[in-house]
Structure formats: structure tokens, C-alpha cells
Amino acid sequence: MLLAIDCGNTNTVFSIWDGEQFLCTMRTATDQRRTADQYFVWLSTLLSHHKITMDINAVIISSTVPRVVFNLRVLSDRYFGCRPLVVGKPECALPVGMRVDAGTTVGPDRLVNTVAGYDRHGGDLIIVDFGTATTFDVADQDGAYIGGAIAPGVNLSLRALHEAAAALPHVDVTKPARVIGTNTIDCMQSGVFWGYVGLVNGICEQIKAEFSRPMKVISTGGLAPLFQQGHALFDAFEDDLTMHGLTVIYEYNKEK
């Protein structure tokens, strides 16, 4: 079985793939101090809870936090007896290419999402990922990654608002009943929710104008379902887009 690991700035997600489906998906806070042994104890405990045998013989990793990768490599070698594929490293080939400025480093998560989006929806895509940052990634007609845009994440913006303005409380992200708030919390929630609806819509429209061909807009990430309520922004929502991309990349490299 394949262990697919997506390490983001906030959370790290582990999924077990049996070749046909994901058997389970587990999430933990990203912590660069966590050792391989700690990962294994946590993982084996949860797999036991799910009644899944730890018959893992392959690992693939996508990580936006480079310092975490070392211990994930040790986990793979020590407990599963295999060398992991790490997206972004020379030994991990991608089924689609990149057309960006020379010397540009593209986040592995963005490349994985592009691979997954192209596999499921074809080319001419905008993929909006609501993570720690809100990213916009563009896949060309042939699936090649050709760039995008990066904006502050929703929770990051809320935290900055709370920390910079002492009188403003920390609030959860939700769709307000009305645009015009009648108290501080409603006003903040309206500003964040409808502000991000406007941001996503505006950036996608500008990308479409530059692209000059019809495009699909795909959303992913934890807050994507919430923002689908605000506007007819997205053609589809994919809750497992990154994990699917990791399985596609793994199969591509296995066949090489």
C-alpha cells in the first residue's frame, strides 16, 4: 500500500491508498520537531483504530516545510523499508511540465494540485486552494503549470486583523446572514467572507481575460465549501485533490 503525505504550513495529512481507493485519511499539526518515531506511534495507533493493517511498502511526500522532510524520510526508511518519492526533487518526475520563469521554485503542493486537476478535468484550469495562503494555479491546455497568484489565507487575514487592531476580537469564518453587519462580529465576518468572494472572483476573471480561452475553476482546501455558498465561482469542488495528485505522480514514476 502507498502512504501519501501532504505536509502544509499548518497541517500534515496522511492517506493510505490501496491502489483503488483511500482507506483512511489522518491529519496532524505540522511540527518540524516531531521525530520519525513519534510519527510512527501516532500513525500506527490511528491505523489500529481504523482496523487497517500497516502493510505500507511505498511513500510519496509533498511538503511546503523543507525541515519536516528529513524525519518523514527517516520514517519511510526505518519503518517501511523504502525510499520515499519527494515531489520537487530530481528523482520525482511529473507527468506534466512547467512553463515559468527560469530559476523559479514552485511549491510542491501547487504542482501536485495541477497534476490532479488535469487528470480529473483536463486542461485550461484555474485551481483555487484555500490553505494557509489562498493560491491560484493555472494549468494550460496540455496540463502544464504556467503560473498563478498568491494571496493571504482567510485565517491568516483574520488573525492579522485581530492582532493589529486591539479592539477587534478573533472571529470564526462563516457566511453572514446579511452583508451589512449590525455588530462588530457580523461586520468582521461580512468583510472577510464577501471580501474573499470578491478577491477570488476578481483574480479568476483577470486570469480568464488574459488566457483568452474558456476555463474551468476548481476549488480545494478546507474553506472551499464555505465559499461556494457566496457566489457561483467554481465549476467543481475537490476535497482530495492533493492526495489524488500524489497517487497520479506515484503511478507515473512507478511505470518509468
PDB file of all heavy atoms in Angstrom, residues 52-90:
ATOM      1  N   ILE A  52      -6.892  -1.059  10.136  1.00  0.00           N
ATOM      2  CA  ILE A  52      -6.145  -1.168   8.885  1.00  0.00           C
ATOM      3  C   ILE A  52      -4.753  -1.703   9.191  1.00  0.00           C
ATOM      4  O   ILE A  52      -4.040  -1.182  10.051  1.00  0.00           O
ATOM      5  CB  ILE A  52      -6.042   0.200   8.181  1.00  0.00           C
ATOM      6  CG1 ILE A  52      -7.436   0.690   7.770  1.00  0.00           C
ATOM      7  CG2 ILE A  52      -5.126   0.115   6.963  1.00  0.00           C
ATOM      8  CD1 ILE A  52      -7.450   2.086   7.208  1.00  0.00           C
ATOM      9  N   THR A  53      -4.364  -2.766   8.513  1.00  0.00           N
ATOM     10  CA  THR A  53      -3.030  -3.328   8.676  1.00  0.00           C
ATOM     11  C   THR A  53      -1.999  -2.399   8.055  1.00  0.00           C
ATOM     12  O   THR A  53      -2.195  -1.912   6.938  1.00  0.00           O
ATOM     13  CB  THR A  53      -2.940  -4.711   8.001  1.00  0.00           C
ATOM     14  OG1 THR A  53      -3.946  -5.564   8.553  1.00  0.00           O
ATOM     15  CG2 THR A  53      -1.576  -5.330   8.224  1.00  0.00           C
ATOM     16  N   MET A  54      -0.922  -2.165   8.774  1.00  0.00           N
ATOM     17  CA  MET A  54       0.101  -1.252   8.280  1.00  0.00           C
ATOM     18  C   MET A  54       1.005  -1.962   7.275  1.00  0.00           C
ATOM     19  O   MET A  54       2.191  -2.206   7.521  1.00  0.00           O
ATOM     20  CB  MET A  54       0.907  -0.673   9.432  1.00  0.00           C
ATOM     21  CG  MET A  54       1.770   0.514   9.010  1.00  0.00           C
ATOM     22  SD  MET A  54       2.730   1.239  10.350  1.00  0.00           S
ATOM     23  CE  MET A  54       1.453   2.067  11.272  1.00  0.00           C
ATOM     24  N   ASP A  55       0.437  -2.304   6.138  1.00  0.00           N
ATOM     25  CA  ASP A  55       1.171  -3.005   5.085  1.00  0.00           C
ATOM     26  C   ASP A  55       1.642  -1.985   4.046  1.00  0.00           C
ATOM     27  O   ASP A  55       1.271  -2.043   2.875  1.00  0.00           O
ATOM     28  CB  ASP A  55       0.267  -4.072   4.464  1.00  0.00           C
ATOM     29  CG  ASP A  55       1.008  -4.948   3.480  1.00  0.00           C
ATOM     30  OD1 ASP A  55       2.249  -5.022   3.578  1.00  0.00           O
ATOM     31  OD2 ASP A  55       0.363  -5.538   2.595  1.00  0.00           O
ATOM     32  N   ILE A  56       2.461  -1.037   4.477  1.00  0.00           N
ATOM     33  CA  ILE A  56       2.906   0.071   3.625  1.00  0.00           C
ATOM     34  C   ILE A  56       4.256  -0.291   3.021  1.00  0.00           C
ATOM     35  O   ILE A  56       5.195  -0.666   3.731  1.00  0.00           O
ATOM     36  CB  ILE A  56       3.021   1.371   4.444  1.00  0.00           C
ATOM     37  CG1 ILE A  56       1.631   1.812   4.929  1.00  0.00           C
ATOM     38  CG2 ILE A  56       3.685   2.478   3.633  1.00  0.00           C
ATOM     39  CD1 ILE A  56       1.657   2.897   5.987  1.00  0.00           C
ATOM     40  N   ASN A  57       4.346  -0.198   1.688  1.00  0.00           N
ATOM     41  CA  ASN A  57       5.607  -0.506   1.023  1.00  0.00           C
ATOM     42  C   ASN A  57       6.075   0.609   0.092  1.00  0.00           C
ATOM     43  O   ASN A  57       7.052   0.445  -0.639  1.00  0.00           O
ATOM     44  CB  ASN A  57       5.501  -1.822   0.240  1.00  0.00           C
ATOM     45  CG  ASN A  57       4.320  -1.817  -0.715  1.00  0.00           C
ATOM     46  OD1 ASN A  57       3.838  -0.770  -1.127  1.00  0.00           O
ATOM     47  ND2 ASN A  57       3.840  -3.009  -1.042  1.00  0.00           N
ATOM     48  N   ALA A  58       5.361   1.736   0.106  1.00  0.00           N
ATOM     49  CA  ALA A  58       5.758   2.877  -0.722  1.00  0.00           C
ATOM     50  C   ALA A  58       5.256   4.154  -0.054  1.00  0.00           C
ATOM     51  O   ALA A  58       4.203   4.162   0.595  1.00  0.00           O
ATOM     52  CB  ALA A  58       5.184   2.751  -2.129  1.00  0.00           C
ATOM     53  N   VAL A  59       6.033   5.231  -0.232  1.00  0.00           N
ATOM     54  CA  VAL A  59       5.694   6.521   0.374  1.00  0.00           C
ATOM     55  C   VAL A  59       5.970   7.618  -0.642  1.00  0.00           C
ATOM     56  O   VAL A  59       6.988   7.596  -1.346  1.00  0.00           O
ATOM     57  CB  VAL A  59       6.523   6.783   1.654  1.00  0.00           C
ATOM     58  CG1 VAL A  59       6.190   8.159   2.242  1.00  0.00           C
ATOM     59  CG2 VAL A  59       6.296   5.687   2.690  1.00  0.00           C
ATOM     60  N   ILE A  60       5.061   8.586  -0.724  1.00  0.00           N
ATOM     61  CA  ILE A  60       5.289   9.786  -1.531  1.00  0.00           C
ATOM     62  C   ILE A  60       4.961  10.999  -0.679  1.00  0.00           C
ATOM     63  O   ILE A  60       3.989  10.988   0.079  1.00  0.00           O
ATOM     64  CB  ILE A  60       4.473   9.772  -2.845  1.00  0.00           C
ATOM     65  CG1 ILE A  60       4.831  10.987  -3.700  1.00  0.00           C
ATOM     66  CG2 ILE A  60       2.976   9.679  -2.585  1.00  0.00           C
ATOM     67  CD1 ILE A  60       4.309  10.905  -5.121  1.00  0.00           C
ATOM     68  N   ILE A  61       5.789  12.036  -0.791  1.00  0.00           N
ATOM     69  CA  ILE A  61       5.682  13.206   0.084  1.00  0.00           C
ATOM     70  C   ILE A  61       5.625  14.479  -0.750  1.00  0.00           C
ATOM     71  O   ILE A  61       6.418  14.672  -1.677  1.00  0.00           O
ATOM     72  CB  ILE A  61       6.897  13.299   1.031  1.00  0.00           C
ATOM     73  CG1 ILE A  61       7.032  12.033   1.890  1.00  0.00           C
ATOM     74  CG2 ILE A  61       6.822  14.540   1.914  1.00  0.00           C
ATOM     75  CD1 ILE A  61       8.372  11.919   2.617  1.00  0.00           C
ATOM     76  N   SER A  62       4.701  15.359  -0.385  1.00  0.00           N
ATOM     77  CA  SER A  62       4.703  16.739  -0.864  1.00  0.00           C
ATOM     78  C   SER A  62       4.794  17.621   0.368  1.00  0.00           C
ATOM     79  O   SER A  62       3.969  17.503   1.277  1.00  0.00           O
ATOM     80  CB  SER A  62       3.420  17.048  -1.644  1.00  0.00           C
ATOM     81  OG  SER A  62       3.297  18.450  -1.860  1.00  0.00           O
ATOM     82  N   SER A  63       5.794  18.498   0.419  1.00  0.00           N
ATOM     83  CA  SER A  63       5.983  19.305   1.620  1.00  0.00           C
ATOM     84  C   SER A  63       6.363  20.734   1.285  1.00  0.00           C
ATOM     85  O   SER A  63       7.293  20.973   0.503  1.00  0.00           O
ATOM     86  CB  SER A  63       7.063  18.696   2.521  1.00  0.00           C
ATOM     87  OG  SER A  63       7.283  19.517   3.660  1.00  0.00           O
ATOM     88  N   THR A  64       5.642  21.679   1.895  1.00  0.00           N
ATOM     89  CA  THR A  64       5.996  23.094   1.789  1.00  0.00           C
ATOM     90  C   THR A  64       6.876  23.520   2.966  1.00  0.00           C
ATOM     91  O   THR A  64       7.224  24.693   3.078  1.00  0.00           O
ATOM     92  CB  THR A  64       4.733  23.967   1.750  1.00  0.00           C
ATOM     93  OG1 THR A  64       3.955  23.734   2.944  1.00  0.00           O
ATOM     94  CG2 THR A  64       3.881  23.639   0.535  1.00  0.00           C
ATOM     95  N   VAL A  65       7.203  22.568   3.843  1.00  0.00           N
ATOM     96  CA  VAL A  65       8.056  22.843   5.007  1.00  0.00           C
ATOM     97  C   VAL A  65       9.286  21.936   4.895  1.00  0.00           C
ATOM     98  O   VAL A  65       9.267  20.785   5.368  1.00  0.00           O
ATOM     99  CB  VAL A  65       7.296  22.577   6.332  1.00  0.00           C
ATOM    100  CG1 VAL A  65       8.132  23.015   7.529  1.00  0.00           C
ATOM    101  CG2 VAL A  65       5.944  23.286   6.334  1.00  0.00           C
ATOM    102  N   PRO A  66      10.355  22.404   4.279  1.00  0.00           N
ATOM    103  CA  PRO A  66      11.504  21.526   3.986  1.00  0.00           C
ATOM    104  C   PRO A  66      12.083  20.822   5.203  1.00  0.00           C
ATOM    105  O   PRO A  66      12.525  19.668   5.102  1.00  0.00           O
ATOM    106  CB  PRO A  66      12.531  22.503   3.373  1.00  0.00           C
ATOM    107  CG  PRO A  66      11.698  23.604   2.796  1.00  0.00           C
ATOM    108  CD  PRO A  66      10.529  23.760   3.726  1.00  0.00           C
ATOM    109  N   ARG A  67      12.076  21.454   6.370  1.00  0.00           N
ATOM    110  CA  ARG A  67      12.725  20.856   7.547  1.00  0.00           C
ATOM    111  C   ARG A  67      11.972  19.630   8.069  1.00  0.00           C
ATOM    112  O   ARG A  67      12.510  18.850   8.850  1.00  0.00           O
ATOM    113  CB  ARG A  67      12.861  21.906   8.654  1.00  0.00           C
ATOM    114  CG  ARG A  67      13.862  23.010   8.299  1.00  0.00           C
ATOM    115  CD  ARG A  67      14.029  23.998   9.430  1.00  0.00           C
ATOM    116  NE  ARG A  67      14.609  23.374  10.619  1.00  0.00           N
ATOM    117  CZ  ARG A  67      14.819  24.031  11.750  1.00  0.00           C
ATOM    118  NH1 ARG A  67      14.482  25.313  11.844  1.00  0.00           N
ATOM    119  NH2 ARG A  67      15.356  23.410  12.796  1.00  0.00           N
ATOM    120  N   VAL A  68      10.717  19.458   7.647  1.00  0.00           N
ATOM    121  CA  VAL A  68       9.943  18.288   8.074  1.00  0.00           C
ATOM    122  C   VAL A  68      10.315  17.047   7.264  1.00  0.00           C
ATOM    123  O   VAL A  68      10.166  15.916   7.741  1.00  0.00           O
ATOM    124  CB  VAL A  68       8.434  18.596   7.965  1.00  0.00           C
ATOM    125  CG1 VAL A  68       7.603  17.355   8.224  1.00  0.00           C
ATOM    126  CG2 VAL A  68       8.047  19.704   8.942  1.00  0.00           C
ATOM    127  N   VAL A  69      10.804  17.264   6.061  1.00  0.00           N
ATOM    128  CA  VAL A  69      11.018  16.146   5.136  1.00  0.00           C
ATOM    129  C   VAL A  69      12.028  15.148   5.679  1.00  0.00           C
ATOM    130  O   VAL A  69      11.873  13.931   5.489  1.00  0.00           O
ATOM    131  CB  VAL A  69      11.444  16.670   3.749  1.00  0.00           C
ATOM    132  CG1 VAL A  69      11.807  15.509   2.822  1.00  0.00           C
ATOM    133  CG2 VAL A  69      10.329  17.505   3.132  1.00  0.00           C
ATOM    134  N   PHE A  70      13.067  15.615   6.377  1.00  0.00           N
ATOM    135  CA  PHE A  70      14.098  14.690   6.871  1.00  0.00           C
ATOM    136  C   PHE A  70      13.494  13.594   7.732  1.00  0.00           C
ATOM    137  O   PHE A  70      13.760  12.402   7.531  1.00  0.00           O
ATOM    138  CB  PHE A  70      15.158  15.456   7.666  1.00  0.00           C
ATOM    139  CG  PHE A  70      16.155  14.546   8.348  1.00  0.00           C
ATOM    140  CD1 PHE A  70      17.183  13.956   7.623  1.00  0.00           C
ATOM    141  CD2 PHE A  70      16.042  14.257   9.700  1.00  0.00           C
ATOM    142  CE1 PHE A  70      18.091  13.099   8.243  1.00  0.00           C
ATOM    143  CE2 PHE A  70      16.946  13.407  10.327  1.00  0.00           C
ATOM    144  CZ  PHE A  70      17.971  12.831   9.593  1.00  0.00           C
ATOM    145  N   ASN A  71      12.674  13.973   8.713  1.00  0.00           N
ATOM    146  CA  ASN A  71      12.096  12.971   9.613  1.00  0.00           C
ATOM    147  C   ASN A  71      11.074  12.091   8.901  1.00  0.00           C
ATOM    148  O   ASN A  71      10.895  10.928   9.271  1.00  0.00           O
ATOM    149  CB  ASN A  71      11.475  13.644  10.835  1.00  0.00           C
ATOM    150  CG  ASN A  71      12.530  14.065  11.843  1.00  0.00           C
ATOM    151  OD1 ASN A  71      13.490  13.341  12.079  1.00  0.00           O
ATOM    152  ND2 ASN A  71      12.374  15.241  12.422  1.00  0.00           N
ATOM    153  N   LEU A  72      10.404  12.616   7.881  1.00  0.00           N
ATOM    154  CA  LEU A  72       9.496  11.789   7.097  1.00  0.00           C
ATOM    155  C   LEU A  72      10.287  10.772   6.260  1.00  0.00           C
ATOM    156  O   LEU A  72       9.840   9.639   6.055  1.00  0.00           O
ATOM    157  CB  LEU A  72       8.613  12.664   6.206  1.00  0.00           C
ATOM    158  CG  LEU A  72       7.597  13.542   6.941  1.00  0.00           C
ATOM    159  CD1 LEU A  72       6.876  14.452   5.961  1.00  0.00           C
ATOM    160  CD2 LEU A  72       6.586  12.685   7.712  1.00  0.00           C
ATOM    161  N   ARG A  73      11.462  11.180   5.792  1.00  0.00           N
ATOM    162  CA  ARG A  73      12.341  10.236   5.092  1.00  0.00           C
ATOM    163  C   ARG A  73      12.798   9.112   6.032  1.00  0.00           C
ATOM    164  O   ARG A  73      12.817   7.935   5.661  1.00  0.00           O
ATOM    165  CB  ARG A  73      13.560  10.965   4.540  1.00  0.00           C
ATOM    166  CG  ARG A  73      13.330  11.792   3.288  1.00  0.00           C
ATOM    167  CD  ARG A  73      14.647  12.363   2.806  1.00  0.00           C
ATOM    168  NE  ARG A  73      14.531  13.161   1.607  1.00  0.00           N
ATOM    169  CZ  ARG A  73      14.569  12.684   0.374  1.00  0.00           C
ATOM    170  NH1 ARG A  73      14.701  11.371   0.188  1.00  0.00           N
ATOM    171  NH2 ARG A  73      14.475  13.484  -0.664  1.00  0.00           N
ATOM    172  N   VAL A  74      13.165   9.494   7.262  1.00  0.00           N
ATOM    173  CA  VAL A  74      13.590   8.502   8.250  1.00  0.00           C
ATOM    174  C   VAL A  74      12.439   7.558   8.572  1.00  0.00           C
ATOM    175  O   VAL A  74      12.627   6.332   8.683  1.00  0.00           O
ATOM    176  CB  VAL A  74      14.098   9.191   9.527  1.00  0.00           C
ATOM    177  CG1 VAL A  74      14.418   8.148  10.606  1.00  0.00           C
ATOM    178  CG2 VAL A  74      15.329  10.029   9.233  1.00  0.00           C
ATOM    179  N   LEU A  75      11.226   8.104   8.727  1.00  0.00           N
ATOM    180  CA  LEU A  75      10.039   7.274   8.959  1.00  0.00           C
ATOM    181  C   LEU A  75       9.889   6.228   7.868  1.00  0.00           C
ATOM    182  O   LEU A  75       9.678   5.040   8.139  1.00  0.00           O
ATOM    183  CB  LEU A  75       8.793   8.161   9.013  1.00  0.00           C
ATOM    184  CG  LEU A  75       7.439   7.446   9.000  1.00  0.00           C
ATOM    185  CD1 LEU A  75       7.183   6.766  10.342  1.00  0.00           C
ATOM    186  CD2 LEU A  75       6.310   8.435   8.668  1.00  0.00           C
ATOM    187  N   SER A  76      10.006   6.667   6.627  1.00  0.00           N
ATOM    188  CA  SER A  76       9.837   5.768   5.488  1.00  0.00           C
ATOM    189  C   SER A  76      10.906   4.680   5.468  1.00  0.00           C
ATOM    190  O   SER A  76      10.612   3.501   5.263  1.00  0.00           O
ATOM    191  CB  SER A  76       9.886   6.585   4.194  1.00  0.00           C
ATOM    192  OG  SER A  76       9.768   5.759   3.069  1.00  0.00           O
ATOM    193  N   ASP A  77      12.139   5.077   5.700  1.00  0.00           N
ATOM    194  CA  ASP A  77      13.250   4.121   5.647  1.00  0.00           C
ATOM    195  C   ASP A  77      13.227   3.159   6.834  1.00  0.00           C
ATOM    196  O   ASP A  77      13.364   1.939   6.680  1.00  0.00           O
ATOM    197  CB  ASP A  77      14.567   4.894   5.618  1.00  0.00           C
ATOM    198  CG  ASP A  77      15.776   3.964   5.630  1.00  0.00           C
ATOM    199  OD1 ASP A  77      15.941   3.214   4.656  1.00  0.00           O
ATOM    200  OD2 ASP A  77      16.521   3.994   6.618  1.00  0.00           O
ATOM    201  N   ARG A  78      13.028   3.697   8.040  1.00  0.00           N
ATOM    202  CA  ARG A  78      13.139   2.887   9.262  1.00  0.00           C
ATOM    203  C   ARG A  78      11.969   1.937   9.445  1.00  0.00           C
ATOM    204  O   ARG A  78      12.147   0.784   9.848  1.00  0.00           O
ATOM    205  CB  ARG A  78      13.254   3.820  10.464  1.00  0.00           C
ATOM    206  CG  ARG A  78      13.379   3.092  11.814  1.00  0.00           C
ATOM    207  CD  ARG A  78      13.531   4.093  12.942  1.00  0.00           C
ATOM    208  NE  ARG A  78      14.745   4.889  12.798  1.00  0.00           N
ATOM    209  CZ  ARG A  78      15.001   5.984  13.517  1.00  0.00           C
ATOM    210  NH1 ARG A  78      14.119   6.411  14.405  1.00  0.00           N
ATOM    211  NH2 ARG A  78      16.119   6.652  13.340  1.00  0.00           N
ATOM    212  N   TYR A  79      10.768   2.398   9.152  1.00  0.00           N
ATOM    213  CA  TYR A  79       9.588   1.599   9.485  1.00  0.00           C
ATOM    214  C   TYR A  79       8.927   0.921   8.279  1.00  0.00           C
ATOM    215  O   TYR A  79       8.193  -0.050   8.448  1.00  0.00           O
ATOM    216  CB  TYR A  79       8.567   2.466  10.219  1.00  0.00           C
ATOM    217  CG  TYR A  79       9.029   2.842  11.612  1.00  0.00           C
ATOM    218  CD1 TYR A  79       9.510   4.113  11.884  1.00  0.00           C
ATOM    219  CD2 TYR A  79       9.027   1.906  12.643  1.00  0.00           C
ATOM    220  CE1 TYR A  79       9.948   4.462  13.165  1.00  0.00           C
ATOM    221  CE2 TYR A  79       9.469   2.234  13.917  1.00  0.00           C
ATOM    222  CZ  TYR A  79       9.928   3.517  14.174  1.00  0.00           C
ATOM    223  OH  TYR A  79      10.371   3.848  15.435  1.00  0.00           O
ATOM    224  N   PHE A  80       9.162   1.458   7.067  1.00  0.00           N
ATOM    225  CA  PHE A  80       8.501   0.866   5.898  1.00  0.00           C
ATOM    226  C   PHE A  80       9.504   0.300   4.886  1.00  0.00           C
ATOM    227  O   PHE A  80       9.109  -0.245   3.863  1.00  0.00           O
ATOM    228  CB  PHE A  80       7.586   1.899   5.230  1.00  0.00           C
ATOM    229  CG  PHE A  80       6.608   2.527   6.191  1.00  0.00           C
ATOM    230  CD1 PHE A  80       6.493   3.909   6.284  1.00  0.00           C
ATOM    231  CD2 PHE A  80       5.837   1.742   7.028  1.00  0.00           C
ATOM    232  CE1 PHE A  80       5.608   4.491   7.185  1.00  0.00           C
ATOM    233  CE2 PHE A  80       4.949   2.313   7.935  1.00  0.00           C
ATOM    234  CZ  PHE A  80       4.836   3.693   8.020  1.00  0.00           C
ATOM    235  N   GLY A  81      10.787   0.480   5.172  1.00  0.00           N
ATOM    236  CA  GLY A  81      11.822  -0.126   4.343  1.00  0.00           C
ATOM    237  C   GLY A  81      11.841   0.347   2.912  1.00  0.00           C
ATOM    238  O   GLY A  81      12.143  -0.425   1.993  1.00  0.00           O
ATOM    239  N   CYS A  82      11.527   1.621   2.687  1.00  0.00           N
ATOM    240  CA  CYS A  82      11.530   2.134   1.314  1.00  0.00           C
ATOM    241  C   CYS A  82      12.027   3.582   1.284  1.00  0.00           C
ATOM    242  O   CYS A  82      11.985   4.295   2.290  1.00  0.00           O
ATOM    243  CB  CYS A  82      10.131   2.048   0.697  1.00  0.00           C
ATOM    244  SG  CYS A  82       8.896   3.080   1.516  1.00  0.00           S
ATOM    245  N   ARG A  83      12.500   3.970   0.128  1.00  0.00           N
ATOM    246  CA  ARG A  83      12.931   5.353  -0.095  1.00  0.00           C
ATOM    247  C   ARG A  83      11.738   6.138  -0.631  1.00  0.00           C
ATOM    248  O   ARG A  83      11.164   5.758  -1.660  1.00  0.00           O
ATOM    249  CB  ARG A  83      14.083   5.397  -1.091  1.00  0.00           C
ATOM    250  CG  ARG A  83      14.603   6.801  -1.400  1.00  0.00           C
ATOM    251  CD  ARG A  83      15.728   6.733  -2.417  1.00  0.00           C
ATOM    252  NE  ARG A  83      16.208   8.054  -2.795  1.00  0.00           N
ATOM    253  CZ  ARG A  83      17.129   8.735  -2.130  1.00  0.00           C
ATOM    254  NH1 ARG A  83      17.676   8.186  -1.050  1.00  0.00           N
ATOM    255  NH2 ARG A  83      17.511   9.927  -2.535  1.00  0.00           N
ATOM    256  N   PRO A  84      11.335   7.220   0.024  1.00  0.00           N
ATOM    257  CA  PRO A  84      10.145   7.924  -0.432  1.00  0.00           C
ATOM    258  C   PRO A  84      10.403   8.763  -1.678  1.00  0.00           C
ATOM    259  O   PRO A  84      11.520   9.242  -1.904  1.00  0.00           O
ATOM    260  CB  PRO A  84       9.804   8.827   0.757  1.00  0.00           C
ATOM    261  CG  PRO A  84      11.127   9.110   1.385  1.00  0.00           C
ATOM    262  CD  PRO A  84      11.920   7.833   1.227  1.00  0.00           C
ATOM    263  N   LEU A  85       9.373   8.918  -2.484  1.00  0.00           N
ATOM    264  CA  LEU A  85       9.392   9.906  -3.551  1.00  0.00           C
ATOM    265  C   LEU A  85       9.047  11.262  -2.935  1.00  0.00           C
ATOM    266  O   LEU A  85       8.080  11.368  -2.184  1.00  0.00           O
ATOM    267  CB  LEU A  85       8.351   9.567  -4.616  1.00  0.00           C
ATOM    268  CG  LEU A  85       8.732   8.614  -5.741  1.00  0.00           C
ATOM    269  CD1 LEU A  85       7.498   8.318  -6.590  1.00  0.00           C
ATOM    270  CD2 LEU A  85       9.843   9.211  -6.603  1.00  0.00           C
ATOM    271  N   VAL A  86       9.835  12.273  -3.235  1.00  0.00           N
ATOM    272  CA  VAL A  86       9.572  13.614  -2.710  1.00  0.00           C
ATOM    273  C   VAL A  86       9.338  14.554  -3.888  1.00  0.00           C
ATOM    274  O   VAL A  86      10.235  14.767  -4.715  1.00  0.00           O
ATOM    275  CB  VAL A  86      10.738  14.116  -1.840  1.00  0.00           C
ATOM    276  CG1 VAL A  86      10.426  15.517  -1.293  1.00  0.00           C
ATOM    277  CG2 VAL A  86      11.004  13.147  -0.690  1.00  0.00           C
ATOM    278  N   VAL A  87       8.135  15.084  -3.979  1.00  0.00           N
ATOM    279  CA  VAL A  87       7.791  15.973  -5.089  1.00  0.00           C
ATOM    280  C   VAL A  87       8.687  17.211  -5.055  1.00  0.00           C
ATOM    281  O   VAL A  87       8.878  17.827  -4.003  1.00  0.00           O
ATOM    282  CB  VAL A  87       6.310  16.388  -5.017  1.00  0.00           C
ATOM    283  CG1 VAL A  87       5.972  17.351  -6.163  1.00  0.00           C
ATOM    284  CG2 VAL A  87       5.415  15.157  -5.054  1.00  0.00           C
ATOM    285  N   GLY A  88       9.246  17.535  -6.199  1.00  0.00           N
ATOM    286  CA  GLY A  88      10.148  18.674  -6.291  1.00  0.00           C
ATOM    287  C   GLY A  88      11.605  18.272  -6.366  1.00  0.00           C
ATOM    288  O   GLY A  88      12.458  19.075  -6.758  1.00  0.00           O
ATOM    289  N   LYS A  89      11.916  17.012  -5.986  1.00  0.00           N
ATOM    290  CA  LYS A  89      13.278  16.507  -6.088  1.00  0.00           C
ATOM    291  C   LYS A  89      13.510  15.933  -7.485  1.00  0.00           C
ATOM    292  O   LYS A  89      12.566  15.462  -8.150  1.00  0.00           O
ATOM    293  CB  LYS A  89      13.533  15.435  -5.027  1.00  0.00           C
ATOM    294  CG  LYS A  89      13.403  15.939  -3.599  1.00  0.00           C
ATOM    295  CD  LYS A  89      14.414  17.026  -3.288  1.00  0.00           C
ATOM    296  CE  LYS A  89      14.309  17.485  -1.836  1.00  0.00           C
ATOM    297  NZ  LYS A  89      15.254  18.587  -1.535  1.00  0.00           N
ATOM    298  N   PRO A  90      14.761  15.935  -7.964  1.00  0.00           N
ATOM    299  CA  PRO A  90      15.044  15.482  -9.343  1.00  0.00           C
ATOM    300  C   PRO A  90      14.577  14.070  -9.636  1.00  0.00           C
ATOM    301  O   PRO A  90      14.203  13.755 -10.773  1.00  0.00           O
ATOM    302  CB  PRO A  90      16.578  15.595  -9.427  1.00  0.00           C
ATOM    303  CG  PRO A  90      16.947  16.612  -8.400  1.00  0.00           C
ATOM    304  CD  PRO A  90      15.962  16.446  -7.286  1.00  0.00           C
TER     305      PRO A  90
END
